[in-house]
Amino acid sequence: MSNYDVVVIGGGPGGYNAAIRAGQLGLKVACVEGRETLGGTCLNVGCMPSKALLHASELYEAAVGPEFAKLGIEVKPSLNLAQMMKQKDESVTTLTKGIEFLFRKNKAEWIKGWGRIDGPGKVVVKAADGSEQVLTAKDIVIATGSEPTPLPGVTIDNKRILDSTGALSLPEVPKHLVVVGAGVIGLELGSVWRRLGSEVTVVEYLDRICPGLDLETGKTFQRSLAKQGFNFKLGSKVSSAKATAKGVTLEIEPAAGGEKETLKADYVLVAIGRRPFTQGLGLETVGITPDKRGMLENQKHRSGVPGIWIIGDVTSGPMLAHKAEDEAIACIEQIVGKAGEVNYALIPSVIYTKPEVATVGKTEEQLKAEGRAYKVGKFPFAGNSRAKINHESEGFVKVLADERTDEVLGVHLIGPSVSELIGEYCVAMEFAASAEDIALTCHPHPTRSEALRQAAMNVDGWAMQA
Ligand code: FAD
Ligand code: NAI
C-alpha cells in the first residue's frame, strides 16, 4: 500500500499535466497509465502523429505538384511511405519520453498499469504481469480520456475498416479511401492520404462539413477541399460496410431516406466522433454514474463525491488537448486551495489542413441566436503581402465585435499558418480587448499577422490594404 496526496488516473494531456502541476506545487503525486507510454491519445495516436503526417504529406504534395516548380525548384520526388511512418513514430517516442523526463523533473511518479477505483481514496492498479498494488490518496483525479465512437453495424478491424489509429499507420496509400464523418479527424487524415495520392470520398450525415464551424468559414473550407479533389457526399449515411481481404463495399443512403447506393473502397476510415472512456474504472464503488453518452459530469472539475475530480475528454466540453490541460491546472490549483478556473468561452479550435482553420469565441450564428448586435471586420489573405509573396493567399480573417462596446466576441481564420496566429486573439480576448485595440497595435511587416490587424481595422471599415 502506498500513500499519496493525489492519484491521477490516465497519463494523457489531462492526466500528465495534472501530475506535473501537482509535483510543482509540492504534492506527493502518482499518475496511473495503462499504455506502455505516457502522453495519452494526443501523443500516441492523436494530435502528434497526425500532425507529423500532415506536415510530411504537405511537403510531399508541394514537391510533387506545381508548387515547387512555380518557385523554380525542380525535383523528382518519390514517396517512401515506410520512412514517413518511421519518422512519425520516432517523433512520437521522443515526445512520450519527454513526459517521463518532466515527471522525473517534477517528482511525479508513473505507476504502470490499469487503475480501478475501489471506494473513496483508494485505487487498485493492475500491472501487465497481472500483479496488483493499492494506492491511497486524499484526492483522485479521473483523466481517462476517450475512444472512437463506433458506427452501428460497421466493425472496425483496423485492416480495411479503420479508426483514426489505423488510419495513422497504413502500410500503403489507398487508391480509394472512404471517410465516414466530415469532422476534424476525417478531414485531417483524409488530407494526408489525398496528398499522398488517394482518391478520397467523405460521407457525412449532415448537409455541411465540420458542423460547429462559423457557417461562412465552413463553406469556404468545403469549397477549398473540393477544389483539392475531396468528393463530398453530404446528407448521407452508411447503412453497411463489408470488408474482404482486398477492400470494402459500403452501402450508403440519403440521411432523409431514399435510394441506396453502393460504394467500393480499398480502405474506410470511420471518424464520427469520440466518446468518454471509463471501462473498468470502478465508478460504482464510489456511486458515480456516467450520463447517457457515457460522460462523467463535473462542477468546476469536482464530481459529486468529495475527493474525486474529473478532467479532460471524459467529461463535458470540447475534446481537445489544450482544454484537458487547462482543466488539469485548474483542478490541481483548486486541490491546493488556489482559485483555478477555466474560461470555456475562449478555448480555441484548429483544423490542421491546408488551408488551416482556426477559431475562438462566438460564431455569427451563435451571436444571431443570442440576439446580440455585432459588427464584422473581414480581411482576405489575398491582401496580405507575406501570404501573396508565398503564393498562399487563400482564405480570410473574420473578426466579430460587439456593436456597442467594440469588444471582440469571435474570430474565425482560414488560411496559411492560422494555427499559429489565433493565439494573439486568445490573449486579446482574455483581456477583453476591443477590435480597435488590435487595430492600433503595431504588427511586424511582412507577416501574415498583419491580416489580423487589417481585419480588426475593418470592423470600423478602415482596412488600408484591401
Ligand atoms: P487521453 O489523451 O485519451 O488520455 C487518457 C489516458 O488514460 C490514455 O492514455 C489511457 O490509456 C489512460 N487510461 C484510461 N483508463 C485508464 C485506467 N483505468 N487506468 C490507467 N490508465 C487509463 N486535440 C487537440 O487539441 N489538437 C489536435 O490536433 C488533436 N488531434 C487529434 C487527432 C486524433 C487522430 C485524435 C484521435 C485526437 C486528437 N485530438 C486533438 C484530441 C486529443 O487527443 C484529446 O482531446 C486529448 O488527448 C484528451 O486528453 P485526456 O488526457 O483527457 O485523454
Ligand atoms: P467530429 O465530432 O469532429 O466529427 C464527426 C462528424 O461525423 C460530424 O460532422 C458528424 O456530423 C458526422 N457523423 C456522425 N455520425 C455520422 C454517421 N453515422 N454517418 C456520417 N457522418 C456522421 O469527430 P471526429 O472527427 O471523429 O473527431 C473527434 C474529436 O477529436 C473532435 O471532435 C476533436 O475534439 C478531436 N480532434 C481534434 C483535432 C484538432 O484539434 N485539430 C484533430 C482530430 C480530432
Side-chain angles (χ1 to χ4, degrees):
M1 176 112 72
S2 313
N3 296 308
Y4 294 89
D5 294 315
V6 179
V7 167
V8 182
I9 309 179
Y16 75 70
N17 281 299
I20 290 170
R21 189 72 187 121
Q24 283 180 341
L25 293 173
L27 298 176
K28 185 168 188 246
V29 59
C31 178
V32 183
E33 172 55 62
R35 273 179 210 273
E36 282 172 18
T37 46
L38 291 170
T41 303
C42 174
L43 269 61
N44 290 285
V45 290
C47 323
M48 301 322 300
S50 60
K51 265 79 260 178
L53 292 182
L54 280 157
H55 175 65
S57 62
E58 185 175 334
L59 291 180
Y60 173 75
E61 187 176 41
V64 170
E67 228 174 294
F68 266 31
K70 182 164 184 177
L71 297 173
I73 306 169
E74 294 183 358
V75 287
K76 285 205 177 76
S78 63
L79 178 64
N80 181 343
L81 185 61
Q83 169 57 25
M84 198 178 276
M85 291 295 171
K86 184 164 169 267
Q87 59 83 33
K88 174 221 19 157
D89 294 339
E90 284 168 355
S91 300
V92 165
T93 302
T94 310
L95 291 170
T96 58
K97 290 273 174 233
I99 307 292
E100 288 182 38
F101 162 77
L102 293 174
F103 270 27
R104 285 192 297 276
K105 184 177 167 201
N106 293 289
K107 299 192 172 54
E109 198 180 331
W110 173 15
I111 308 282
K112 296 182 186 179
W114 295 99
R116 178 179 89 240
I117 298 173
D118 188 19
K122 201 166 146 197
V123 176
V124 178
V125 184
K126 189 170 188 173
D129 64 6
S131 63
E132 288 196 341
Q133 62 173 309
V134 179
L135 316 178
T136 59
K138 202 159 79 42
D139 290 285
I140 295 172
V141 179
I142 299 176
T144 50
S146 62
E147 61 178 357
T149 304
L151 179 59
V154 176
T155 309
I156 305 284
D157 58 15
N158 269 332
K159 292 196 177 85
R160 290 285 162 186
I161 305 183
L162 316 164
D163 59 17
S164 53
T165 302
L168 285 167
S169 293
L170 281 180
E172 60 177 0
V173 178
K175 285 189 196 62
H176 184 202
L177 173 70
V178 169
V179 176
V180 188
V184 201
I185 292 181
L187 299 179
E188 286 190 353
L189 296 184
S191 289
V192 166
W193 293 109
R194 189 203 55 72
R195 292 167 186 173
L196 299 182
S198 300
E199 183 193 345
V200 177
T201 303
V202 183
V203 182
E204 163 62 46
Y205 189 80
L206 299 175
D207 60 1
R208 54 181 291 198
I209 68 169
C210 295
L213 277 184
D214 172 81
L215 193 57
E216 183 187 22
T217 310
K219 279 188 177 153
T220 304
F221 185 37
Q222 187 182 328
R223 263 199 308 277
S224 172
L225 294 176
K227 216 164 69 193
Q228 293 168 22
F230 270 86
N231 306 308
F232 288 109
K233 289 197 175 290
L234 303 182
S236 302
K237 63 178 180 192
V238 171
S239 34
S240 74
K242 292 206 169 49
T244 64
K246 290 209 175 131
V248 189
T249 306
L250 296 112
E251 278 199 329
I252 67 169
E253 59 186 289
E259 291 251 316
K260 281 193 179 166
E261 179 188 346
T262 301
L263 269 184
K264 289 211 182 284
D266 35 0
Y267 292 92
V268 173
L269 162 61
V270 178
I272 58 164
R274 294 179 61 83
R275 63 180 185 186
F277 180 78
T278 55
Q279 209 178 304
L281 195 54
L283 293 173
E284 63 290 350
T285 68
V286 284
I288 295 178
T289 312
D291 72 10
K292 285 201 297 286
R293 293 167 303 157
M295 195 82 84
L296 303 186
E297 281 175 19
N298 81 90
Q299 281 292 329
K300 296 205 173 218
H301 327 301
R302 291 169 193 270
S303 72
V305 179
I308 299 193
W309 304 75
I310 302 171
I311 59 172
D313 277 13
V314 77
T315 190
S316 50
M319 288 186 168
L320 295 172
H322 42 283
K323 175 264 195 186
E325 176 184 352
D326 259 30
E327 290 183 339
I329 298 168
C331 165
I332 297 297
E333 297 206 338
Q334 285 184 37
I335 286 176
V336 299
K338 290 173 175 263
E341 185 144 356
V342 177
N343 182 356
Y344 288 98
L346 291 185
I347 293 174
S349 143
V350 173
I351 309 173
Y352 295 83
T353 44
K354 191 172 182 187
E356 290 186 336
V357 180
T359 72
V360 64
K362 305 269 170 146
T363 64
E364 277 204 76
E365 293 66 47
Q366 284 170 328
L367 293 173
K368 280 181 189 140
E370 286 173 14
R372 189 149 181 189
Y374 64 93
K375 302 176 282 186
V376 184
K378 265 182 76 180
F379 189 80
F381 278 104
N384 174 270
S385 57
R386 181 70 183 277
K388 247 190 138 43
I389 211 84
N390 288 358
H391 310 289
E392 293 180 327
S393 53
E394 190 177 14
F396 55 76
V397 174
K398 173 170 165 180
V399 177
L400 307 173
D402 187 277
E403 190 170 74
R404 196 176 53 83
T405 65
D406 197 38
E407 183 179 348
V408 179
L409 304 174
V411 180
H412 306 278
L413 315 179
I414 176 163
S417 304
V418 294
S419 58
E420 301 292 351
L421 300 182
I422 193 81
E424 167 178 336
Y425 269 101
C426 296
V427 174
M429 289 165 79
E430 274 291 350
F431 285 87
S434 63
E436 187 187 39
D437 290 328
I438 311 283
L440 297 180
T441 299
C442 191
H443 285 64
H445 174 76
T447 62
R448 302 166 186 99
S449 74
E450 289 173 283
L452 303 179
R453 182 184 192 183
Q454 294 288 322
M457 289 171 162
N458 240 358
V459 166
D460 270 335
W462 64 287
M464 297 166 69
Q465 287 160 13

